[in-house]
Amino acid sequence: MQDCGDEVVDDLCGDKKVHIFISFKFGGFWVDTKDQSRKRYTGGKQRTVKLEKGHLNIFKIKAEIARICLWLKGHQYNMHYHINGTSPKEYKVINYDADVSQLVNKSNENLRAEIVISLQEVDEDQSISQLMGVESIEQLIECSISQNDGASSLQKTSVTDIAIGTLFDDASSFKNALRSFAIKENFGVRIKASDKKRVIAACSYQGCQWRIRASLCEDTQSFQVRRVDGEHTCPGINRAGNRLATASWVANKIQEMVKRCPDIPPKEINSGLEKEFGLSFPYIKLWRAREQARDNIFGSVDDNYKWVPTLTAELLDRNPGSHITYTFNAIDNAFQRFYVSFKVCVDGFLFGCRPLVSLDACHLKSKYLGVLLSANTIDGNNGLFTVAFAVVETEPKHTWSCFLKNLEENVGTNLNPLSFISDMEKGLGEAIREIFPEVEHRVCIQHLWKNIKKKFRCKDGQKMQGLVWGAANAYTNIDMKEKLSELSILSPTLYSYLLSLPYKWSRSQFMIGICHAANTKNFAESFNSWITDARTKPVVDLIDLIRGKLMEQRAQRKMNSLTWQRELVPYVEEYIRDITTRKDHLVVRH
């Protein structure tokens, strides 16, 4: 296919396709002329499209108008074409295909035409001079800033520009759209008059003559721009200090962004605003806007805490026998703790898991922060199994004591043997000795080694690490004492420190009957990673999200277990296969 000016020649059949260029005008208005029989169209914008002349009809013209002027959907409008060769310009209405044929014929060899689009008259007695065009619309701008108190709403006004004839749902929508338009075009706006029937605004720069007026339509609800006077002569304003771009305005502009990624960094938000509006904000303003956007989308964090009693009652009703409780400050009713342990989780632990429980705490990232305490174990197939969890204010001894007392009510004190493993949490060791005096308490060697590196210095640090880890992984007292003997020579203070620890840190010290030699709490870290997305939520959403994850996990494991064909679980089968096929051999000693 070859383009030859206004004609296109088809190489295959040699046919000529003649095109006509039609300029669609919109957004302006009709004004009177000295000749009372004529009207002159002024202002607005223009869009030129190329259409095939031989197949042009009224439906194709309306299709192009619908594509260009999306805002006309649902509105009645008129089309007038310019009679070619008339001066001053004369216009004729387009209603039928015959009118389109006349448009084409009058274009002669020029192959150009002009069509004016304007809203249809509301009153049949109105003259054409009272018709108003409507501005083109190409994208959505969310407008949800309250003029009164800055509170956000969820309304959207589809505008990228404001011109005579533009329609808005109400006065507030007009003000919000005007604010966004002013920010994008880099000028200030001052509301000069605002009531139930009209809104008049002007450029805030002294000496600039730009004005805009919108008034109430006949439906007594929507507003329409009636006048836009003057041109901007202002020098613009400092984009970083634009007072129109408040935190509330930013919050509503970034709602879709925050909805997709609630933890989006303020730096990324700033990049998006700078690209679209040329604005740059301080970090704290963006952070506050993101928090406000979260409240708009997910609800207020403060209100979330009001649902704690309702959530507790609902969980107990749907999970009979579960231990779910919360506490609050009796003086100011401030939330303190929320403990959750489902009966199915406790039963699963008592009848199907090893008696080794990992206790851990991870910090929350919602508005009021807090700490999530958890008790996790591993099931027969070596999978993560959550027994209980709780949201608390901090993690000193008294919060750990409350958590363990609740756990004691679930699992009882007669479970023997039982072992806890944890890092060196402040107050946790004392709480365990107080609530579970007969229970073994292991310490995670990874965290122990981190503390050792901070407290002790040695010339040969690599050898010291090898001896400490060798003693921790030793299965017999003989092997452990050999490593400690070498360590006493290398670092006597570290040797004394390890012997004084109230925790079990070497495998050779572990209680018989636990049936698991874990000396790290990796499964607790797996739990923290598993619920990462929940850590940013307020308490009710956090609890409900973890509940949903537990339900999905148990349902999936039940489905997987139905596919097992042998008596042993897959993890044990794999372990036996591994130790019986590897090259090194095990020697059984009596």
Side-chain angles (χ1 to χ4, degrees):
M1 192 81 74
Q2 299 174 346
D3 191 352
C4 303
D6 296 337
E7 298 181 354
V8 178
V9 180
D10 193 321
D11 291 334
L12 296 179
C13 60
D15 295 335
K16 291 184 178 181
K17 293 182 179 179
V18 181
H19 291 82
I20 183 172
F21 292 88
I22 299 180
S23 298
F24 292 96
K25 290 189 174 183
F26 46 86
F29 53 94
W30 297 98
V31 296
D32 294 324
T33 62
K34 293 180 180 180
D35 186 351
Q36 295 298 323
S37 64
R38 291 193 182 98
K39 303 293 180 182
R40 179 168 58 88
Y41 190 80
T42 184
K45 291 190 174 182
Q46 176 176 306
R47 182 75 64 83
T48 302
V49 297
K50 183 179 179 182
L51 300 174
E52 190 175 345
K53 182 178 178 181
H55 296 85
L56 190 62
N57 55 44
I58 194 167
F59 297 106
K60 288 197 174 182
I61 291 178
K62 287 187 175 182
E64 285 299 320
I65 292 174
R67 183 181 64 83
I68 297 171
C69 306
L70 303 175
W71 43 268
L72 277 177
K73 185 177 181 181
H75 294 283
Q76 298 295 325
Y77 59 90
N78 291 326
M79 299 178 292
H80 293 80
Y81 72 90
H82 166 230
I83 302 174
N84 203 8
T86 59
S87 181
K89 288 184 176 181
E90 293 183 10
Y91 293 89
K92 188 174 181 180
V93 70
I94 301 176
N95 288 327
Y96 309 103
D97 283 337
D99 301 321
V100 177
S101 299
Q102 289 183 17
L103 177 150
V104 173
N105 294 334
K106 291 183 181 295
S107 66
N108 299 325
E109 297 179 356
N110 190 25
L111 295 178
R112 292 186 179 276
E114 176 186 313
I115 296 179
V116 174
I117 308 165
S118 58
L119 284 179
Q120 199 171 80
E121 298 178 6
V122 177
D123 188 347
E124 293 181 358
D125 295 331
Q126 287 182 327
S127 66
I128 195 169
S129 62
Q130 293 175 293
L131 292 175
M132 297 185 180
V134 186
E135 181 55 80
S136 172
I137 296 164
E138 299 173 356
Q139 65 183 17
L140 292 178
I141 291 183
E142 294 180 5
C143 300
S144 49
I145 305 171
S146 174
Q147 182 67 19
N148 298 326
D149 55 7
S152 63
S153 65
L154 297 179
Q155 297 176 348
K156 295 181 180 180
T157 303
S158 301
V159 296
T160 58
D161 203 353
I162 295 179
I164 294 176
T166 310
L167 294 170
F168 299 92
D169 292 339
D170 49 33
S172 179
S173 298
F174 167 67
K175 293 174 186 177
N176 295 331
L178 182 60
R179 179 191 292 256
S180 297
F181 177 63
I183 291 172
K184 191 168 186 178
E185 297 299 324
N186 192 29
F187 67 88
V189 169
R190 178 166 49 90
I191 303 295
K192 298 186 67 176
S194 178
D195 53 42
K196 294 181 179 180
K197 293 185 178 181
R198 60 170 186 164
V199 176
I200 302 174
C203 179
S204 60
Y205 183 77
Q206 188 174 5
C208 182
Q209 300 300 314
W210 186 85
R211 300 286 186 275
I212 188 169
R213 176 190 178 99
S215 59
L216 191 65
C217 296
E218 291 185 355
D219 61 4
T220 69
Q221 179 64 35
S222 58
F223 267 62
Q224 187 176 42
V225 177
R226 304 295 185 180
R227 294 183 60 181
V228 179
D229 300 327
E231 296 290 337
H232 279 288
T233 57
C234 54
I237 55 179
N238 180 8
R239 291 201 180 265
N242 194 330
R243 294 183 180 181
L244 293 175
T246 61
S248 297
W249 179 85
V250 175
N252 285 274
K253 286 298 170 188
I254 65 173
Q255 277 194 13
E256 287 301 321
M257 200 182 300
V258 174
K259 191 174 183 179
R260 290 192 299 268
C261 180
D263 299 318
I264 184 171
K267 185 177 180 180
E268 189 173 335
I269 295 174
N270 195 60
S271 299
L273 292 173
E274 190 171 6
K275 182 178 180 180
E276 184 174 355
F277 295 98
L279 299 173
S280 181
F281 297 99
Y283 180 92
I284 188 63
K285 187 172 185 177
L286 294 170
W287 185 88
R288 288 172 180 166
R290 185 188 65 180
E291 295 304 303
Q292 186 172 340
R294 282 179 179 174
D295 289 349
N296 296 342
I297 299 168
F298 305 112
S300 169
V301 174
D302 295 345
D303 292 341
N304 188 275
Y305 284 86
K306 297 177 182 178
W307 291 95
V308 168
T310 303
L311 177 64
T312 304
E314 189 69 18
L315 291 177
L316 288 172
D317 181 61
R318 295 178 178 270
N319 301 273
S322 299
H323 187 72
I324 301 171
T325 182
Y326 68 93
T327 59
F328 58 92
N329 189 310
I331 299 175
D332 57 3
N333 293 329
F335 171 84
Q336 290 181 321
R337 293 179 286 275
F338 196 131
Y339 177 88
V340 179
S341 180
F342 296 110
K343 185 177 186 302
V344 291
C345 295
V346 175
D347 291 345
F349 167 66
L350 294 176
F351 299 108
C353 296
R354 295 181 178 90
L356 174 65
V357 178
S358 171
L359 301 175
D360 192 42
C362 65
H363 292 277
L364 303 178
K365 302 176 183 179
S366 61
K367 181 178 179 180
Y368 295 109
L369 303 178
V371 178
L372 180 68
L373 307 182
S374 62
N376 297 279
T377 184
I378 48 179
D379 60 19
N381 198 37
N382 211 46
L384 176 68
F385 195 94
T386 301
V387 181
F389 59 93
V391 178
V392 299
E393 63 276 32
T394 54
E395 50 174 329
K397 177 187 173 183
H398 75 275
T399 53
W400 275 115
S401 296
C402 292
F403 181 78
L404 291 174
K405 285 178 181 177
N406 283 299
L407 186 63
E408 179 192 22
E409 293 185 31
N410 296 143
V411 302
T413 56
N414 298 324
L415 185 61
N416 190 29
L418 177 63
S419 178
F420 290 128
I421 183 169
S422 70
D423 53 17
M424 304 178 76
E425 299 279 0
K426 190 176 295 185
L428 177 56
E430 296 178 18
I432 290 177
R433 289 191 292 272
E434 180 183 320
I435 310 299
F436 292 91
E438 303 299 325
V439 168
E440 175 188 71
H441 184 193
R442 303 180 186 180
V443 66
C444 175
I445 184 60
Q446 291 178 338
H447 289 82
L448 176 61
W449 173 244
K450 288 180 181 179
N451 290 340
I452 290 173
K453 287 196 297 182
K454 293 178 182 178
K455 293 182 178 180
F456 302 95
R457 294 289 182 268
C458 180
K459 293 182 179 179
D460 194 347
Q462 189 172 0
K463 183 178 180 182
M464 182 175 72
Q465 180 180 1
L467 292 173
V468 171
W469 279 85
N473 292 325
Y475 283 93
T476 65
N477 286 325
I478 296 175
D479 292 339
M480 183 189 73
K481 288 178 179 179
E482 287 180 359
K483 300 296 182 183
L484 290 179
S485 178
E486 294 183 50
L487 188 62
S488 65
I489 300 173
L490 185 64
S491 177
T493 54
L494 175 57
Y495 172 78
S496 301
Y497 171 76
L498 291 174
L499 292 181
S500 65
L501 287 175
Y503 317 108
K504 301 290 181 68
W505 57 275
S506 173
R507 284 173 172 165
S508 62
Q509 303 171 327
F510 292 168
M511 182 185 297
I512 298 174
I514 300 299
C515 302
H516 203 289
N519 58 359
T520 63
K521 59 182 190 69
N522 290 338
F523 44 102
E525 300 299 337
S526 298
F527 174 79
N528 294 339
S529 177
W530 185 48
I531 53 96
T532 297
D533 54 341
R535 292 168 64 180
T536 61
K537 309 294 184 185
V539 59
V540 169
D541 294 342
L542 181 146
I543 298 294
D544 194 52
L545 190 56
I546 295 177
R547 175 199 61 80
K549 283 179 171 289
L550 289 174
M551 288 180 61
E552 292 175 2
Q553 181 194 67
R554 302 299 152 79
Q556 184 61 48
R557 288 181 179 177
K558 182 178 180 180
M559 296 297 295
N560 293 341
S561 66
L562 296 176
T563 64
W564 298 346
Q565 303 296 326
R566 299 185 177 131
E567 294 182 358
L568 296 178
V569 296
Y571 173 78
V572 174
E573 287 185 353
E574 184 65 27
Y575 176 74
I576 294 175
R577 189 181 302 111
D578 179 58
I579 63 175
T580 55
T581 56
R582 61 190 181 191
K583 294 181 179 179
D584 52 329
H585 299 281
L586 300 177
V587 178
V588 179
R589 296 177 179 175
H590 297 285

